[in-house]
Structure formats: structure tokens, C-alpha cells
Amino acid sequence: MTSPIIPRATAKAQIQEGPGGLGASLTHENPGKTAIIVSNSRLHTVPVVRRDASVAKPWAHFVAGGLGGMTSAVLTAPLDVLKTRLQSDFYQSQIAASRTARGIAPPAALSLPRTALLHFNETFQILFSIHRVEGSRALFKGLGPNLTGVVPARAINFYTYGNGKRIISQHFNGGNEAAWVHLCAAATAGMVTGTVTNPIWLVKTRLQLDKSHAEKTGSISNRRYRNSLDCIMQTVRKEGIRGLYRGLSASYLGVSESTLQWVSYERIKLYLKNRESELLASGRDWTLWDQTVSWGGKVGAAGIAKLFAAVITYPHEVVRTRLRQAPLQDGRLKYTGLVQCFKVVWKEEGMASFYGGLTPHLLRVVPSATIMFGM
């Protein structure tokens, strides 16, 4: 009698000593099928219950996203404050007035290298002025709601993406991953995350921009909002519940950024995995470069993917910040919708304003992505 051939990849051999002496077992682990157990020269057929090691992975995605988001938010908080202020129309008007006073031509009249250098210099001048004029605590303005938003946002995003990828691949692609699977999972994760956390980001944005209201009234201490709760209460009282979801349309537009990031990250990871497999198959000794790529590949992939996605989709960040700004003193809203906001910014400030705050944004989100994905 010949024994059935069991695929090597799904077989496990165990040798153990029991009351009846030394016995061996060979188990064929195919879900829903039987296993041939050889023990003390006897054959036994038993059903197999497979223990899937990925059962705990959904919570692993959730915890990893939350911890990574919290760490990156604290480390990059000053750059987030700077980015938000540079995206607002108040700071853009201040920058324009400063350029006029110094006799500097508008960005549209300057060459690209000179415009980039000017933007870089102004960015760090504002960063140092925040510390000098308002104190070091101002660099962490809005960190409370930022942490309140980042931790659940990253946890929800990682959880939805990781499980969405698994569900879509299992039910619609025969258990195989593909670029379109990553695309659908990333888009779903972005929309779910944006919808759940939009009120938190609105509060954070308004607290970070509150200094502009204080300066207009002539007193640094005369701020519009005392804290996060006061901001929520005033927003609901003056604008209704819908006011907490201002900028949501731009967030949905920003799903393209997270989608590009995830798809790019998965493609780079696949390339690195194939490269490592080829190296192992070749049998040659690894060079220093091979070891460096293997060690830092995942972190580098996260940074490159985020840089690529952020630069391409950045204008939606500016529009989202403008839509989340507090109403004017008379209660009017300067920006009433996504398309209207694009038109007003383009007409009043030009194309360059859609990239206001890009430098601190990149300095914040690229390291942030490497921290989160590397945790």
C-alpha cells in the first residue's frame, strides 16, 4: 500500500515519544480536508482544523497604526503648526505684504529656483518667529486635538486598509494581491478615516489659526477659542453640526494622496521582496549595499511613497485648510465650497498659493511616514 503524496509546503512532520513508544506523525494541512496521521505503524485519518496565524492581524494593524501615529505627531508637531499657518489666507497676505515692502517681485515673476529658495527662507523665518514672539509652547499649539485625531485616524486607516486588502483579495481575486486590490483598499480606508475624524481636524486647524484672530484684534491674549471644547461649542452654536464637517469634500479629494501612497508603498515592497528572493536564489554573498537595502528598504519605501503622493496631491491640503477656517467677524464664510475655494484662491493669490506650506509639510509627513511604517 502506497502512502499519498503530501505537498511539501503544507506538510508538517512531528516525532514525539508517548506511552506507546516513539511515534511519528505527518499532517497534511489543507483547510476543510483530512489529514493522514502515521503513528506506531498505523494509519489514521482525521479532520484538520487549521489555526490561521493571521487571526490577530486586524488588531495588530489597529495598534501599530495608533502607536506610529502618536509618535510621529509628537515629534513633528512644530512643523504641523507651521504648515497650517502657511496654508491660511491670513499668513499668505502677511507674506505678500512683506515681499512688497522689501521690493521682491511676486512668485509668478520669479524663476522656479529663486521661488523655491524664497519659499524655503520664509518658511524658517516664520518658524523661528513663532518661537521668539509666542514662546515654545506655541509650536505645539493644537497638539491635543492633533493627538486625539492622529491616533484614531492612523489606527482606523491601518485597520481598514489591512483588512480591506485581505477581504477584497479573498473574495474578488482568488486570495491574490494586485495593484487594483491595493487601490480599492486604500480608497476605502481614506474615505472611512476622513469621515470619522473630520471634526477633530477642524478643531485642530482653528486652534492653530487662532493667533491670526488675536493679532487682528490687537491683543495676543484675546483669542477666539479658549480650548478644544470651546471651539466645538462655538462651531456648533454658530454653524450647526454641519460646521464640524467643513472641509470634508477636500478630504475626500485627498483620498487620492493616501491611495497613491499605499499603492506606491506596496509596489516598492514587492520589488524589494523579489530582489531579496533573487539574491537568495543566486547563492552569492550579500554586499554591504544588499544588506543596507534589506535593512532600510521598508522605511525608505514608506518615505519615498509619501513624498511622491504628497507632492502630486498637495493643493487639496491648502483648500481643506481654507474651508476649515473660522467664519469672518460678520459671520460670513469666505470659502463656501470645494470648487468655489479653488476659484477664489486661484483668482486672488495665483497658482503658487496652492503650494503654500509645502516645505514644512514635506519635512513633517515624510519622516512621519517612515516612523509609522517603521514602528
Side-chain angles (χ1 to χ4, degrees), residues 246-317:
R246 289 185 53 77
L248 184 58
S249 56
S251 291
Y252 286 156
L253 184 62
V255 167
S256 57
E257 179 182 352
S258 61
T259 302
L260 275 175
Q261 179 188 354
W262 275 114
V263 172
S264 302
Y265 176 66
E266 294 285 359
R267 293 294 93 189
I268 297 172
K269 266 206 322 181
L270 180 62
Y271 166 77
L272 293 172
K273 182 180 178 181
N274 292 337
R275 183 181 185 277
E276 188 168 333
S277 298
E278 291 174 1
L279 284 173
L280 292 173
S282 68
R284 70 173 177 83
D285 294 335
W286 284 34
T287 63
L288 178 61
W289 172 249
D290 294 330
Q291 293 174 354
T292 302
V293 171
S294 177
W295 178 77
K298 187 177 180 180
V299 173
I304 293 171
K306 187 63 179 181
L307 176 65
F308 171 70
V311 171
I312 291 179
T313 63
Y314 186 75
H316 92 273
E317 292 267 357

Side-chain angles (χ1 to χ4, degrees), residues 67-84 127 138-143 146-147 150 154 201 204 208 306 357 359-372:
L67 289 176
M70 180 176 63
T71 305
S72 63
V74 173
L75 295 178
T76 60
L79 294 171
D80 186 54
V81 173
L82 179 60
K83 178 210 72 171
T84 303
L127 178 63
L139 294 172
F140 293 88
K141 189 72 175 175
L143 180 59
N146 197 17
L147 281 176
V150 163
R154 298 310 177 200
W201 299 131
K204 185 212 75 167
Q208 290 179 338
K306 187 63 179 181
T359 298
H361 180 68
L362 293 179
L363 290 173
R364 183 181 70 87
V365 298
V366 174
S368 176
T370 60
I371 292 169
M372 279 193 298

Side-chain angles (χ1 to χ4, degrees), residues 179-206:
W180 72 268
V181 173
H182 301 152
L183 186 71
C184 293
T188 303
M191 294 188 71
V192 170
T193 304
T195 303
V196 172
T197 61
N198 193 82
I200 301 172
W201 299 131
L202 179 131
V203 171
K204 185 212 75 167
T205 299
R206 291 193 174 183

Side-chain angles (χ1 to χ4, degrees), residues 98-110:
S98 174
R99 288 172 180 168
T100 302
R102 290 182 292 166
I104 299 176
L110 301 176

